[in-house]
Structure formats: structure tokens, C-alpha cells
Amino acid sequence: MRNPERVLNSLSEHSKCSDYKFERLYRVLFNSDLFLLAYNNIQSRPGNMTEGSDGKTIDGMSLKRIENLIGALKDESYRPKSARRTYIPKKNGKMRPLGIPSFDDKLVQEVLRMILGAIYEGSFENFSHGFRPKHSCHTALIQVQKNFTAAKWFIEGDIEGFFDNIDHDVLIEILKERIADNRFIRLIRKFLKAGYAEDWVFHRTYSGTPQGGIISPILANIYLDKLDKYMKEYAQRFDRGIERKVNPDYKSISGQIWWLGTKLRKTENEETRGELIKAIKQLHKSRLHLPSVDEMDEGFRRIKYVRYADDFIIGVIGSKADCVAIKEDITKFLGEKLKLTLSADKTLITHGNDKAKFLGYEIYVRPFSEQTVRGEKSGKLIKAFGKKVVLEVPMSVMRDKLLYYEAMKIQSLEGKERWKSTSRTKMMHLDDLEILDGYNREIRGFANYYSIANNSSHLNSFKFIMQYSMYRTFAKKYSTSVRKIIARYRVDKDFAVFYEDKKGNRKKRVFFNGSFKRKTTALKSDCDEIANTIFNTTVTSLMQRLKAGACELCGAEGEIEIHHVRKLKDLQGKKPWEIQMIGRQRKTMAVCIPCHNKIHDGKID
């Protein structure tokens, strides 16, 4: 049996040839080690302990379970279960539908995702950032900031109901361009048609990607890669000129500086030289306040494009008429080629100096009027800002997040909004450490996402409101005042909660005291780095334990199943198997079938 690493890397190598067609791909699904790798990839996700429509979870994973899946795939009797539909609350108070597939389907989908990733990842454009290795929202935003300099217009792209409206036939035809294996294509179609179950009623799906499916993101990227390729070709046709013409006024002053400099070199009179030097410096200062190029040059056009999942933004150096034409061309392409609809109302054309919205940030090009002159260490004056892109955290987002957390209320004072922190009743039943950790997580999560904003210092306002909301929550919990709470929990300059760890050691946890200094790089990715398509796999402890065939509880050898728990903290630590899992800090245990049954029946003391 071939090593999964070699299988995936072989597919990745062939993918570099754009006209290569993948045949006999379905047989890759018969590799049990590939399923073990897929199992290892997804085993730590908490949602795996949620039952799918078949009533099963990740608990009880075994080599036999994998062999049964592979057997069903071999004779094509495998049929994905319909996803169990549930609903989760949205920020606006509405409910969002969520599909929960069976775990066996998740496992097969993870194998498919790895195969499709090996085939397609290397061919995706580098301005596509959604659901890709070494890419993130931050890499998309940083690429906008680097590449959209001096953009005169933004086009904010909005595709109506993208994930629910992917046309199955179009997607299959796109897959067939690279994959010449009918069995593999049929398996993908089975997942597309699996549907969902709600209130014990089956609903067929005629469009869209699998509900809650692991392969949905990669299928979406394969689908919208057509848009990416179209925009790449469009930019090649649209772009015009090598560089902008020089601003006539800037050129005139530059000519005067050159003429005076020539005169200076020929003059030996000290008094005259001093006057010339003074005049040249004055002209240099005047020139610094002028744009060096003609911003109205019709002979120079550029278009830049960045996409994250179904959200995209386009920067245009050109006229508004150009933007209208670009929007119409994209609408036509999406409708004719991909059977998608570009929202006419939400796809906005925004002037570069006004604020466009992308991935929760406000984006605009700093106008030339905001440009300032500053001196270098050498004393030479330079322009402090070009027409660079500015990323800002919107105050409206900060306000909505605080209201969503119920950490503040808005009061009107002389016609102005006044934000006032409030206690959070829903946290009253938690212990002190849980309250502190809850606030820290929320502050850190919000701050991390907006850490690359030019106005990241404004996050101090968010922290201030959250901090006093926490004080008020503690004060309400103990029926005392905020002042007394601060005095009670103050340790040096920090607000701290003391607790005992599992070994009985006394420790402390302090309230968030990190910096909101702006970061200029993504947290975990680099948008200029092409995604790595070489797969490095190692045999993990979990895979070894499953293959070893030895029960970690009684030592018996034979067929092994993996017992899973959702969270270690849910274990009381009274039973031997609980003590062992807590001691090893593992949410999994390889056990024989009799021991596994006893664990679930509560018969192991």
C-alpha cells in the first residue's frame, strides 16, 4: 500500500501541468492509510461528538469501520447520508441553518478534500485567499493594502447566496476538465445530491455545496477559480500604459531646480551661491506638495483584484465609466458561465477616497491632501505618505460587537451617542476564573482580527468598555461596588484572579494587558508566499495506537476502537479510564470492544 504522502505529492506534481488529466483517481480511495491520515486531521474537532442523521459520532472509530467504508466505495454501494439540519443564532437575531453530516461522511469528505487539494491547490491564483493553506483574511487585506495603491475606485463584489446557488452541472463540468474518472465524479455528485433532513423529513438539494461538508470550501474555490482566471485575463486586456505622465507643474518645478543647480555649479560667488541654494530649497519644498504624476492621465489604467471565498474587491485606476463596464462584464460572466447572480444593489462602486468595506474592514486610499512632509535623520525632506491604502476598524463594528456581547448600552447626551458599560447577567452563574477568561477571549479575538488596522489604537476603547463591563459583572455578582471589586482583585497594576490547578498549586490569571500596537504582517500567513502543495505526513501517536491492536485499559490484543470525549474537563477523574485520559491529556483512548462497551454502560469502576 502506497504511503499517503507519496500519493498526494504525486498528484500535486502532475497538477503543475495544466493539460494533465487525472485518470484512475477513484482507486486512491482504497488506501486505508489515507483514511487514517484523514481521521487524524479531523479527530480533534469538537463537532465530531455531535450525532449526524445516522445517530453516530466519531466515537468507536476502528480499522474495521474504515475497511467497511472502503468496501462500500469499492462496489459503489456507498451512499452519503443526508445532513441533519439544525439552526444557530446570528448576530442580527435571526437563525442560520447548519448541516451536520454523519462522521463517516466527514471522513470520506476529508479524503476527497486532500485529493482535490493536491490536484487544484497549485493552480489556484494567489489573489484567492479563502479556505487555503497559508492564506487568511489578513493575507487578503494585506494584499489589498500592498497592491491597491493609488486606486481611484473600488468595486465591492457581492454574489447572491453563493454557497446555496452553485450549479451542480456546471461544477461537474469544471471537475471533468481535470478529472477523467467517472467513478470519482459520481462520488462527488452523490455528496452534492445528498440533501438534508429536518424534522425527520428529507429535503433534496438541487444546487449548492454539501450542507456543513468538509469538501464545500475546496469545491467553492474550484468553482470560483473560473472567476479568478477571468479577472486575470480581464486585467491583461484592461491595463494600459507603462507609467503615468508626469504632472506638468511638477515637471516645471523640476526643470527650474535643474536650471538653478546648473547655474550653482558654475557660480563661484559665495553670496550668489547662497541665494541659489535658498531658492532651490524653496522649490524642493513646493514640489513636495504636488503629485509627481498626472492623476487624470487617460493613457494609464490598472485593475487589481482580491477574493476571499465569495467576497471580492477590485481596485481600479481609471474612470467611473470603466468601473460600470467592469461590473457589467463580471455580471455577464457570472450569469452565463457560472449561473450566479451579482447583486446589483450590494455590488457598490466607491470612490477611492471614500470608505469601501471588505472582510469587516473599512478601506480607502489616503487622499493627497492628507500627505505631509517630514524630515529624515539626514535632514532631507520627504513625502510621508503616498496614495496608500488605509485599513481601519469601523467604529460601527466595534459598537455592534459590544452590543452583541451585552457589554454596554448606548445613551443619548445632547444629541450625541454615549457608550456606557453594563454588567452581563448571563455570566453571573460562572466562577471568577470563567468570567475573567471569557472577557479575555473576547478581547483577544477581536483585537487579533483587527490588529493590522491602521487605527488599531482605537481598540483601546473596546477594551475599556469590556474592562468596566467585567468590573460591573463582578460587582453585581457579589452585590458590591465597582471600586471595591477593583481594590479586591488588584495585584500590582493588574486585575487578577487566583485559582488552584489540578496539582493544587496556587496560580493567577490576569485581565488582558496586551498591546494594541499595529501589526504589519498576518498572524499565521504571508500573502506573498505561494501555498505549499507538498504534503509532509508523519505517523502520529493516534494512528500508531489504532494500528497497534492493544487495549490501553486491559492490555488485551485484538480489534481496537477509539473512545472519544468532547472535553477533558467534563471528566470527573473518578474512574480508571478517566484518570488515565486526564493524566495523559488526551481526549482519545484505544480500547478493545468489551472495554468500550463497559465504558458506555458505566460498568468499569
Side-chain angles (χ1 to χ4, degrees):
M1 187 175 296
R2 292 183 68 192
N3 184 297
E5 178 182 347
R6 292 181 181 177
V7 173
L8 296 174
N9 285 332
S10 175
L11 294 175
S12 181
E13 282 296 317
H14 288 305
S15 72
K16 294 175 182 178
C17 181
S18 59
D19 58 352
Y20 183 86
K21 280 216 168 189
F22 292 86
E23 300 174 351
R24 302 169 69 187
L25 198 59
Y26 193 75
R27 66 177 185 172
V28 176
L29 296 168
F30 306 156
N31 189 322
S32 60
D33 284 347
L34 196 59
F35 275 83
L36 284 172
L37 177 60
Y39 169 55
N40 183 70
N41 289 346
I42 63 177
Q43 56 88 19
S44 61
R45 300 176 185 178
N48 291 330
M49 290 300 292
T50 302
E51 293 181 356
S53 56
D54 60 353
K56 296 180 181 179
T57 68
I58 190 175
D59 188 48
M61 177 51 62
S62 64
L63 293 177
K64 185 176 181 180
R65 191 168 169 182
I66 290 174
E67 289 170 4
N68 290 339
L69 271 176
I70 293 175
L73 287 167
K74 283 181 177 179
D75 60 20
E76 294 194 66
S77 62
Y78 172 78
R79 292 287 183 277
K81 309 290 190 303
S82 56
R84 181 169 66 84
R85 174 165 281 192
T86 186
Y87 292 87
I88 57 175
K90 297 169 67 174
K91 294 179 182 180
N92 58 10
K94 297 180 180 180
M95 302 299 286
R96 183 193 304 278
L98 179 68
I100 304 175
S102 71
F103 181 76
D104 286 354
D105 290 343
K106 287 182 183 179
L107 192 61
V108 176
Q109 285 192 45
E110 174 61 14
V111 174
L112 290 173
R113 185 201 64 78
M114 290 191 294
I115 294 171
L116 290 172
I119 294 172
Y120 286 97
E121 183 59 41
S123 64
F124 287 153
E125 300 299 330
N126 204 37
F127 40 70
S128 165
H129 295 262
F131 314 118
R132 295 185 59 198
K134 299 187 180 180
H135 289 69
S136 65
C137 291
H138 278 192
T139 63
L141 290 159
I142 290 172
Q143 194 172 59
V144 168
Q145 191 162 47
K146 286 182 177 180
N147 294 351
F148 283 39
T149 300
K152 290 185 68 177
W153 303 93
F154 293 120
I155 303 175
E156 306 169 48
D158 186 275
I159 300 173
E160 291 186 356
F162 168 67
F163 286 95
D164 293 330
N165 291 310
I166 289 177
D167 187 275
H168 291 172
D169 292 332
V170 173
L171 176 57
I172 292 298
E173 289 304 314
I174 292 173
L175 290 170
K176 284 182 177 180
E177 292 175 6
R178 298 296 307 271
I179 300 171
D181 186 330
N182 290 330
R183 290 199 295 172
F184 191 88
I185 295 295
R186 281 199 297 270
L187 180 59
I188 297 290
R189 192 181 281 278
K190 285 178 184 179
F191 276 106
L192 295 174
K193 299 294 184 183
Y196 65 92
E198 184 175 7
D199 297 328
W200 302 101
V201 177
F202 172 74
H203 299 266
R204 188 175 298 278
T205 46
Y206 298 96
S207 62
T209 51
Q211 287 277 325
I214 291 173
I215 57 170
S216 292
I218 184 74
L219 291 178
N221 272 336
I222 292 169
Y223 201 82
L224 281 184
D225 184 58
K226 290 294 181 182
L227 174 62
D228 298 341
K229 297 287 193 292
Y230 172 76
M231 290 305 302
K232 184 177 182 178
E233 295 172 1
Y234 195 99
Q236 292 171 354
R237 297 192 306 270
F238 180 87
D239 292 354
R240 181 195 302 163
I242 299 174
E243 58 184 18
R244 282 173 166 170
K245 293 179 181 177
V246 179
N247 179 0
D249 294 335
Y250 187 93
K251 186 176 181 180
S252 174
I253 293 178
S254 297
Q256 293 178 52
I257 292 172
W258 176 84
W259 183 79
L260 291 175
T262 303
K263 193 174 180 180
L264 177 63
R265 287 190 294 272
K266 295 179 180 180
T267 303
E268 296 181 359
N269 184 281
E270 290 299 323
E271 185 176 346
T272 305
R273 286 178 63 85
E275 292 176 356
L276 289 171
I277 291 171
K278 185 176 180 181
I280 290 172
K281 286 183 177 180
Q282 188 60 45
L283 287 170
H284 270 295
K285 287 182 180 180
S286 300
R287 191 175 64 173
L288 285 171
H289 295 284
L290 291 174
S292 60
V293 296
D294 181 5
E295 296 183 2
M296 304 303 292
D297 182 9
E298 295 181 359
F300 182 84
R301 298 193 312 186
R302 286 291 184 273
I303 185 172
K304 298 293 183 180
Y305 163 87
V306 170
R307 179 178 66 83
Y308 185 92
D310 58 332
D311 291 330
F312 64 87
I313 188 168
I314 300 170
V316 180
I317 297 177
S319 65
K320 188 173 183 179
D322 290 332
C323 296
V324 173
I326 292 168
K327 180 179 174 181
E328 290 175 353
D329 290 340
I330 294 174
T331 301
K332 183 179 179 182
F333 173 82
L334 289 174
E336 292 180 356
K337 301 297 183 181
L338 300 180
K339 296 186 179 180
L340 296 172
T341 303
L342 193 66
S343 173
D345 297 330
K346 295 182 180 179
T347 303
L348 306 176
I349 297 174
T350 308
H351 192 275
N353 296 154
D354 297 328
K355 293 180 178 179
K357 293 182 179 179
F358 183 58
L359 300 180
Y361 276 72
E362 287 181 343
I363 299 172
Y364 68 94
V365 176
R366 195 185 300 276
F368 192 82
S369 59
E370 291 186 14
Q371 185 166 270
T372 58
V373 176
R374 64 176 175 83
E376 288 187 314
K377 290 182 179 179
S378 63
K380 182 181 178 181
L381 294 176
I382 61 169
K383 296 177 181 178
F385 305 110
K387 298 197 69 174
K388 294 183 179 179
V389 173
V390 178
L391 304 176
E392 289 191 348
V393 48
M395 295 302 290
S396 60
V397 170
M398 199 181 300
R399 178 196 63 209
D400 293 344
K401 180 65 75 173
L402 289 167
L403 291 174
Y404 174 72
Y405 286 150
E406 298 180 357
M408 78 164 189
K409 60 183 178 181
I410 298 177
Q411 297 177 334
S412 181
L413 185 64
E414 297 180 357
K416 294 183 179 180
E417 278 191 359
R418 183 171 179 265
W419 297 4
K420 185 175 181 180
S421 60
T422 58
S423 60
R424 297 167 69 177
T425 307
K426 293 179 181 179
M427 301 183 78
M428 299 278 287
H429 68 284
L430 301 176
D431 63 37
D432 291 359
L433 185 61
E434 289 174 325
I435 293 173
L436 180 67
D437 284 346
Y439 276 95
N440 280 347
R441 281 194 303 271
E442 290 162 352
I443 294 170
R444 191 173 288 110
F446 192 80
N448 283 343
Y449 187 75
Y450 288 101
S451 61
I452 62 173
N454 289 74
N455 64 340
S456 61
S457 60
H458 289 194
L459 296 172
N460 281 297
S461 301
F462 181 83
K463 177 194 170 184
F464 179 82
I465 295 292
M466 292 290 281
Q467 185 174 3
Y468 272 83
S469 171
M470 183 188 66
Y471 292 161
R472 293 179 189 278
T473 301
F474 273 101
K476 190 171 183 179
K477 178 179 179 179
Y478 293 109
S479 301
T480 185
S481 67
V482 168
R483 181 178 294 178
K484 291 180 180 178
I485 284 294
I486 294 173
R488 182 190 303 179
Y489 289 89
R490 182 178 293 280
V491 178
D492 298 327
K493 294 183 178 181
D494 292 317
F495 183 96
V497 170
F498 286 91
Y499 67 98
E500 286 189 0
D501 63 13
K502 293 178 181 178
K503 296 181 179 179
N505 298 320
R506 191 167 185 261
K507 295 189 174 183
K508 73 173 180 179
R509 190 80 48 81
V510 300
F511 178 69
F512 180 85
N513 57 5
S515 168
F516 294 112
K517 184 179 179 181
R518 180 183 171 230
K519 296 179 176 61
T520 56
T521 56
L523 290 179
K524 296 181 181 179
S525 307
D526 184 349
C527 66
D528 293 326
E529 185 175 349
I530 297 175
N532 180 19
T533 55
I534 301 300
F535 295 82
N536 294 309
T537 60
T538 56
V539 179
T540 64
S541 168
L542 180 63
M543 295 163 68
Q544 287 177 333
R545 288 154 56 209
L546 187 57
K547 286 177 136 182
C551 178
E552 294 177 350
L553 204 54
C554 70
E557 295 184 356
E559 189 177 337
I560 294 297
E561 294 182 344
I562 301 294
H563 176 64
H564 285 257
V565 296
R566 190 183 297 271
K567 296 177 181 177
L568 279 176
K569 71 176 185 178
D570 294 337
L571 301 179
Q572 296 179 355
K574 295 181 180 179
K575 299 177 180 179
W577 64 272
E578 292 181 333
I579 295 170
Q580 190 170 336
M581 292 183 81
I582 292 171
R584 294 182 178 181
Q585 287 295 294
R586 286 178 179 164
K587 294 192 293 183
T588 59
M589 174 178 280
V591 292
C592 61
I593 294 176
C595 285
H596 198 199
N597 292 334
K598 289 178 182 179
I599 288 173
H600 283 285
D601 293 340
K603 294 180 179 179
I604 292 186
D605 297 329

